[in-house]
Amino acid sequence: MTSSTNPAPDSRGVNVVTFPRAIPPEQVEVLIVGAGPSGLGAALELQRHGIEVAVVDAATEATLVRAGAAGVSARTVEIFRTWGVAERVRESWTVPPEWNRGNILVTSVVGHVLGGAVPDAFSKRAGSIFSREDGVRRPQTVFQQVFLDRLDELDVPVAAGWLVEDLAYDTDGVTTTVVDIHSGEKRTIRSKYVIGADGSKSTVRQLAGITRTGEYATRRKWRYVVRTKGGVPAQLGPAPSASNIVFNNHYSGFISALNETDWRAYAGPLPLDYEPTEDELIEGAKHGFGFDVDLEVVSKTSFFESTRISDEFVRGRVVLVGDAAHVRTPGGNLAEGFGDVANLGWKLAAVLRGFGGQQLLASYDEERRVHNWRVADHALARSVANEKAIAKIRALGVPDDADTGPEAAARRAEIESIVAEDFNLSLGIIFDERYDYSSVIAYDDDQAKTDTDWSASVYMDDARPGHRAPNGAIETGGVTLYGRLTTWPTLFVLSDDTSAVTSFAAAAETLAVPLDVVYLTQPEVRAVYGSDYVIVRPDHHVAWHGDDQKLDARAVLETVYGRALKQRDTHSGDDASEPTLTSVDV
């Protein structure tokens, strides 16, 4: 147990993550501004492609109580595995792992379950029908500490306490001026590219003159952390649920554990000019817990339910990822940042190594900006729908937890039906990261007409170009198709007919581009992909599929590496304008 006068337990060393204090290099291939999860993830991604990177950040630490994200989906864990950190993240828990049972929908933490119960983890096999991975519930500081440890092993410099003051870029690169926040010393860093991963108020974005589109919020919400004095309250039992979405007459939202004594809670929506008092926050959290508990507020942060997306993700030699590129209604924002990084990394590396065309880098904007608008629109619409559902629940009236009579049970059953309809899992948000419009994907001729419409709530594996490649084990020991991908696009041969390999090898040699070849002749794989050959990108997306009939291997590789001129029209009905493409010399 922990006394209220002591800090919260920190057995995993992530209550405070201290960034390294170092002198940034004078020259590097790619400078990353921002040591948040997206920035550090970008460093891991680029490093695995052999790119020299360095990270700078004005901050010197990150704290658990102010951590934004509290977990990531299976799709993100797939990306973590390519960086070699998936198991490290999983083992770096801050909440006892037996507390994590998924998001449970309840009338209070100690009240009645309304939905969201998950199968017994002890008997459940790993992964699902859509992924070989499981999502993992860990706070944002865990990701930062794990990433920092790995970057240190790889000798990637991370320099904290350096504020970006100016950017000046030309046809050869970028000169970034940084200032030591303590001494005032100024230094310049010369790089081929700068990645802005410095959050929603991005200095890099502003210095690059990149504007944003979207509306400002008219209300404000609050995320805060309360600490239970005296350790784990007896009312919670020995192993409480760590992640609870509460619906009652006085509180709605998450009550979720960050460690054994610190719990995240929410307040609002409230007027923009109103800041709740600590007493108000504590009272709200008590209603969420469902019993009188001695609490103190240790952190509070405001946030907004609005969408602001950059009009360009790439401008010249400046690239934006994560919150620097897009902010929206909370819920999965961190995952979108990691998706940005996975999409960008191999493209930027190919351009820097001279075999990727500038169209390849421009396709980062084409693919990710459209995707982020899609997700943002859904997040905002879902937030509005959830508020209406909560109003409907409160109009019915949530019975007191102590009331177990038949009338209360009937009322809870009615509330359960509302919850089941409005608070379901969005499989499309997690897995359907399709790219409908991209100049570097060789789509089927009729695909614009035959592709199903994107849906936030529905996902089915689809092996056509632009879609996330279906994954599965290719040996009894568990190695997967994703595990056979390298740092560049991979040609999978899915039948005994290998005649097209010669054509691709010749085209790759002529164009001087890398292309690995993997032979997977199991009929089960061929049945899933529906073609004899498929090219899968390092970010797990199908770039092309087909057979050796009417094959133009060179044209395919020119498209995949951004060296073709042809562009594809957007899907019929998609509200996506053609992006502005900027070309510079490497």
Side-chain angles (χ1 to χ4, degrees):
M1 297 298 180
T2 302
S3 167
S4 61
T5 60
N6 294 331
D10 194 20
S11 60
R12 297 286 161 165
V14 293
N15 276 359
V16 178
V17 175
T18 302
F19 300 153
R21 286 286 283 154
I23 303 297
E26 293 181 359
Q27 189 167 333
V28 69
E29 282 189 285
V30 177
L31 176 66
I32 300 169
V33 180
S38 294
L40 298 176
L44 287 172
E45 175 67 23
L46 286 168
Q47 192 281 333
R48 83 181 185 101
H49 293 286
I51 301 302
E52 181 190 23
V53 297
V55 182
V56 296
D57 197 309
T60 58
E61 66 179 26
T63 59
L64 176 63
V65 294
R66 293 187 66 83
V72 292
S73 70
R75 171 62 189 137
T76 297
V77 178
E78 292 173 351
I79 296 171
F80 286 176
R81 192 160 298 284
T82 69
W83 299 341
V85 298
E87 297 310 317
R88 294 191 190 194
V89 167
R90 201 173 295 281
E91 293 302 319
S92 299
W93 43 267
T94 60
V95 175
E98 60 273 18
W99 290 20
N100 288 322
R101 303 165 195 160
N103 292 331
I104 309 300
L105 284 62
V106 293
T107 57
S108 71
V109 176
V110 296
H112 299 264
V113 175
L114 300 171
V118 296
D120 177 16
F122 197 76
S123 59
K124 176 184 176 293
R125 73 172 182 85
S128 67
I129 62 173
F130 304 117
S131 177
R132 305 292 293 186
E133 306 288 352
D134 286 305
V136 60
R137 188 179 180 278
R138 302 289 182 266
Q140 181 172 311
T141 49
V142 164
F143 307 138
Q144 289 171 283
Q145 188 62 67
V146 169
F147 296 175
L148 283 168
D149 291 345
R150 181 59 181 148
L151 290 171
D152 181 59
E153 295 169 359
L154 297 169
D155 293 323
V156 173
V158 178
W162 292 91
L163 176 69
V164 171
E165 183 180 75
D166 188 42
L167 293 177
Y169 56 93
D170 50 49
T171 57
D172 295 322
V174 188
T175 300
T176 303
T177 302
V178 295
V179 182
D180 187 303
I181 62 171
H182 297 299
S183 69
E185 176 191 359
K186 292 188 178 183
R187 298 180 69 89
T188 59
I189 307 167
R190 184 67 177 173
S191 61
K192 289 288 188 181
Y193 285 87
V194 169
I195 294 178
D198 48 342
S200 62
K201 297 180 180 179
S202 172
T203 298
V204 171
R205 185 187 65 241
Q206 294 176 49
L207 289 173
I210 298 174
T211 57
R212 293 190 295 177
T213 296
E215 296 182 357
Y216 288 102
T218 58
R219 303 175 303 173
R220 183 161 58 162
K221 289 189 174 182
W222 294 83
R223 178 177 61 239
Y224 61 104
V225 174
V226 291
R227 181 167 296 159
T228 57
K229 298 181 181 180
V232 181
Q235 294 94 327
L236 292 177
S241 166
S243 186
N244 310 276
I245 306 178
V246 176
F247 304 89
N248 63 43
N249 297 325
H250 305 286
Y251 183 90
S252 63
F254 274 98
I255 295 284
S256 54
L258 297 177
N259 53 41
E260 292 173 295
T261 61
D262 292 351
W263 295 73
R264 177 179 293 165
Y266 291 81
L270 297 168
L272 288 173
D273 60 353
Y274 184 80
E275 181 173 343
T277 65
E278 289 197 4
D279 287 344
E280 289 175 311
L281 297 176
I282 288 173
E283 186 66 19
K286 287 182 178 181
H287 285 300
F289 277 107
F291 60 93
D292 189 19
V293 53
D294 195 4
L295 302 171
E296 61 177 322
V297 176
V298 295
S299 170
K300 66 177 179 180
T301 307
S302 64
F303 66 93
F304 306 94
E305 293 187 334
S306 60
T307 299
R308 303 285 289 170
I309 295 183
S310 297
D311 296 318
E312 301 165 274
F313 284 15
V314 181
R315 171 174 280 194
R317 292 183 175 272
V318 174
V319 186
L320 304 178
V321 300
D323 286 357
H326 45 79
V327 293
R328 61 175 175 82
T329 301
N333 293 8
L334 186 60
E336 297 307 317
F338 291 134
D340 294 344
V341 167
N343 184 290
L344 172 67
W346 75 275
K347 296 176 178 180
L348 182 55
V351 171
L352 285 166
R353 291 297 170 261
F355 48 78
Q358 280 297 321
Q359 195 64 37
L360 184 61
L361 183 55
S363 74
Y364 166 65
D365 178 281
E366 293 174 359
E367 295 176 357
R368 293 303 297 177
R369 189 152 53 89
V370 172
H371 172 74
N372 273 285
W373 268 113
R374 192 177 264 161
V375 172
D377 287 345
H378 164 74
L380 188 57
R382 180 166 182 168
S383 176
V384 172
N386 287 353
E387 281 194 23
K388 291 179 179 179
I390 291 168
K392 188 175 180 180
I393 289 170
R394 287 182 173 169
L396 284 173
V398 181
D400 187 273
D401 285 342
D403 188 349
T404 58
E407 183 177 339
R411 185 88 54 80
R412 290 191 191 99
E414 194 172 355
I415 293 170
E416 285 179 24
S417 65
I418 298 172
V419 167
E421 181 178 351
D422 288 278
F423 296 88
N424 49 23
L425 185 63
S426 299
L427 288 173
I429 294 291
I430 297 172
F431 293 114
D432 198 349
E433 203 177 33
R434 72 173 77 174
Y435 301 132
D436 306 285
Y437 176 96
S438 176
S439 56
V440 301
I441 291 174
Y443 297 95
D444 293 345
D445 290 340
D446 63 345
Q447 193 171 333
K449 297 179 180 178
T450 59
D451 254 347
T452 58
D453 291 337
W454 183 87
S455 169
S457 59
V458 176
Y459 177 76
M460 294 295 292
D461 275 339
D462 193 325
R464 287 178 294 179
H467 290 267
R468 169 179 167 269
N471 193 27
I474 58 174
E475 64 147 6
T476 55
V479 173
T480 68
L481 184 145
Y482 287 1
R484 290 293 279 126
L485 293 171
T486 64
T487 54
W488 308 113
T490 299
L491 173 66
F492 287 97
V493 181
L494 305 182
S495 76
D496 293 329
D497 178 9
T498 63
S499 56
V501 175
T502 301
S503 299
F504 273 109
E509 183 176 2
T510 299
L511 295 171
V513 300
L515 183 70
D516 292 291
V517 180
V518 175
Y519 298 88
L520 295 180
T521 57
Q522 298 97 318
E524 297 84 359
V525 183
R526 173 65 173 77
V528 169
Y529 277 86
S531 57
D532 292 339
Y533 304 92
V534 60
I535 294 178
V536 180
R537 308 187 321 191
D539 63 347
H540 306 154
H541 280 73
V542 176
W544 168 85
H545 71 170
D547 53 37
D548 65 346
Q549 298 178 9
K550 299 181 181 179
L551 172 66
D552 186 342
R554 175 168 180 159
V556 170
L557 293 184
E558 284 179 333
T559 296
V560 172
Y561 276 101
R563 290 161 63 169
L565 297 178
K566 181 181 178 181
Q567 292 187 344
R568 177 185 183 240
D569 292 335
T570 58
H571 264 190
S572 175
D574 277 358
D575 185 19
S577 59
E578 182 175 332
T580 300
L581 308 180
T582 304
S583 177
V584 297
D585 296 326
V586 175

